[in-house]
Amino acid sequence: MELELIASGKVREVYAVRDDPTKLLMVATDRISAYDRVFAEPVIDKGRLLSAISAAAFTALGDRFQTHFVDVPIDVPAQFLGRATLVKRAAMIPVECVARGYLVGSAWDAYRTDGTVQGVALPTGLGFGDRLKEPIFTPTTKEETGHDRPLTPLELRDLHGIELAQRLEELTKAIYVALATWFSEHGLTLVDSKFEFGWVDGDLVLADEIATPDSSRIVRGEPGASPEWLDKQLLRDWLSEHGFRGDGQAPVLNGELIESVQGAYRQVYETLSGRSFDDWPGGHD
Ligand code: ATP
Ligand code: MG
């Protein structure tokens, strides 16, 4: 497979496949980011874990939705083995499509202020970590530089038109429900999740990585009032305990934090797949 690096994201490198312009190879690295900051310390195996979880999730969705996923090829350079996903190349829509099934994070902060979350009114009397009757759609912009901006339903319509806005909302909620059901079958809760969509030959397809602990909040059982996160929230919480909320000098990630992140991501993969991560391609023995 002849490859050419065409883009380098915060976590993934995107390669064009020379002999097939309709495909891309997305290579997940061990980098970790938070608050739009990429940390210098890698989380060993994270790239392979993200690839493994996302592949399992695309496989679990089967043919219920149109997606960009092709496979996790093994005929790749050795350093990419187990961390590279072959996908259909899409014209990406610059919206982060977030679905939330529970009231946590920035949704909880917004609800506490005025009872709404990005223009969606919620019943009164809800507490942190409560399950929402219906999942809500809370999209944000996907900015080239700087922080993503929350969008109300009206703003999304103004930016992308009523038809696409509606399709993004319906698809996001339906995919969230399908993945959340799959998680619950394995004793996990997909608390919230971010999706990205793009156009492939005139079709709107689910792209990017899905259901990973980088793109989602995940717990065993129900979140409740003090959730034990199995996702990147572990890093955000650790950073805020160390006085960092996105501005100024970031603390150096210590071994204990890195191990807990790695352990959580591994648990998610092994619980969802029923397999040992030791058997995933590209391991170092
Ligand atoms: P940014 O893209 O803003 O640098 P990021 O952190 O989201 O930030 P990564 O997730 O590391 O970037 O890189 C993956 C990139 O590939 C994203 O820009 C994503 O939108 C894009 N992408 C995902 N799936 C496809 C696809 N099928 N075709 C084209 N691009 C895709
Ligand atoms: Mg991304």
Side-chain angles (χ1 to χ4, degrees):
M1 198 181 271
E2 236 194 288
L3 301 168
E4 184 197 347
L5 182 66
I6 57 166
S8 186
K10 285 185 281 288
V11 173
R12 281 164 300 157
E13 314 281 357
V14 183
Y15 290 85
V17 182
R18 280 254 167 79
D19 56 8
D20 187 352
T22 69
K23 303 281 185 329
L24 292 175
L25 193 72
M26 316 253 325
V27 178
T29 69
D30 291 347
R31 296 195 286 267
I32 192 160
S33 73
Y35 303 106
D36 295 321
R37 199 75 74 98
V38 180
F39 291 84
E41 303 76 29
V43 176
I44 304 300
D45 285 338
K46 178 170 171 282
R48 289 167 61 239
L49 282 160
L50 292 177
S51 306
I53 295 164
S54 190
F58 277 116
T59 305
L61 288 181
D63 56 11
R64 284 179 284 171
F65 301 94
Q66 283 191 290
T67 82
H68 74 159
F69 181 75
V70 179
D71 65 1
V72 178
I74 50 169
D75 57 334
V76 290
Q79 72 273 23
F80 293 168
L81 190 58
R83 62 173 75 246
T85 306
L86 190 67
V87 303
K88 294 176 193 157
R89 187 178 204 146
M92 297 300 288
I93 299 163
V95 178
E96 307 231 314
C97 293
V98 179
R100 301 168 184 269
Y102 293 78
L103 199 50
V104 302
S106 62
W108 166 243
D109 296 335
Y111 174 77
R112 261 199 313 184
T113 312
D114 66 358
T116 73
V117 182
Q118 288 171 233
V120 184
L122 293 177
T124 54
L126 295 176
F128 177 91
D130 279 356
R131 186 182 178 165
L132 302 171
K133 255 200 173 140
E134 304 273 326
I136 57 170
F137 177 55
T138 58
T140 71
T141 59
K142 189 170 163 68
E143 303 288 342
E144 291 277 325
T145 53
H147 295 303
D148 298 333
R149 201 164 44 79
L151 293 169
T152 64
L154 214 62
E155 289 171 321
L156 182 66
R157 270 182 242 164
D158 287 345
L159 282 172
H160 294 285
I162 188 157
E163 197 201 316
L164 180 58
Q166 232 159 37
R167 288 181 74 189
L168 291 176
E169 172 162 357
E170 276 163 23
L171 275 172
T172 298
K173 287 179 177 172
I175 293 162
Y176 170 77
V177 168
L179 290 171
T181 303
W182 176 57
F183 270 62
S184 68
E185 286 161 5
H186 297 280
L188 299 178
T189 296
L190 186 65
V191 174
D192 47 39
S193 206
K194 187 265 295 178
F195 307 115
E196 291 180 32
F197 295 88
W199 297 103
V200 178
D201 293 335
D203 292 326
L204 187 57
V205 304
L206 175 61
D208 210 54
E209 61 172 24
I210 59 166
T212 69
D214 270 11
S215 67
S216 317
R217 287 195 179 86
I218 299 165
V219 291
R220 204 171 275 288
E222 293 273 307
S226 54
E228 287 183 28
W229 301 112
L230 294 175
D231 59 78
K232 207 167 82 173
Q233 192 62 33
L234 287 167
L235 170 61
R236 293 191 208 98
D237 289 349
W238 184 90
L239 289 170
S240 70
E241 278 160 31
H242 288 74
F244 181 77
R245 275 165 226 268
D247 299 308
Q249 176 91 34
V252 173
L253 309 184
N254 67 23
E256 196 187 339
L257 184 262
I258 287 172
E259 262 179 46
S260 84
V261 171
Q262 192 209 58
Y265 284 41
R266 186 181 175 113
Q267 263 193 66
V268 170
Y269 171 69
E270 295 192 333
T271 307
L272 290 171
S273 70
R275 298 196 177 140
S276 167
F277 181 62
D278 294 339
D279 299 332
W280 183 256
H284 21 229
D285 37 23

